[in-house]
Amino acid sequence: WLSSREILYWGDLDVMGFHLLNRLRRRFPQVRSVMMNPATLARHEHWAIKCSAPSLDETDLLNAEERSACTELRVRGLRLEQEKLPYQYTVEMLNATST
């Protein structure tokens, strides 16, 4: 059933979040990410925390923008939890996906 549906993914902006996105695309290639990009990280970096990023190399199904964000997070050892993003920003980005 999900194979015939549009699927949006929004996870934490961290290496594990991108790993999960990559794994989800193995089963459902049509998955589109939301707020999983360098622009979201740059705009809300003040909410990011330092973390030890695991060295997960499964990024073959990420697009260039997602891969760039994942690499930046890994190199800088950052994690931006999705619940830290402001509500209004989240609503705007989710609404933008439906256009």
Side-chain angles (χ1 to χ4, degrees):
W1 178 78
L2 282 174
S3 296
S4 65
R5 302 289 186 230
E6 177 182 34
I7 302 173
L8 301 178
Y9 173 85
W10 173 36
D12 289 339
L13 265 82
D14 62 4
V15 172
M16 184 55 74
F18 284 103
H19 174 72
L20 293 171
L21 172 59
N22 199 78
R23 287 182 60 195
L24 185 59
R25 281 197 181 132
R26 288 210 187 288
R27 178 66 176 92
F28 303 105
Q30 78 274 22
V31 170
R32 286 192 306 135
S33 68
V34 180
M35 296 172 280
M36 302 288 292
N37 54 50
T40 298
L41 176 60
R43 184 169 177 176
H44 304 288
E45 187 175 334
H46 58 281
W47 294 111
I49 58 172
K50 287 286 189 178
C51 70
S52 56
S55 58
L56 302 171
D57 291 329
E58 287 189 58
T59 60
D60 57 311
L61 299 177
L62 300 181
N63 64 37
E65 189 176 47
E66 295 160 348
R67 194 173 294 118
S68 173
C70 183
T71 299
E72 181 176 355
L73 291 161
R74 179 183 298 123
V75 168
R76 296 179 60 200
L78 293 178
R79 172 189 178 120
L80 177 57
E81 297 171 328
Q82 64 190 62
E83 61 270 16
K84 298 287 186 178
L85 298 180
Y87 176 77
Q88 189 58 41
Y89 176 79
T90 302
V91 169
E92 288 172 20
M93 295 298 105
L94 290 173
N95 284 336
T97 65
S98 63
T99 58

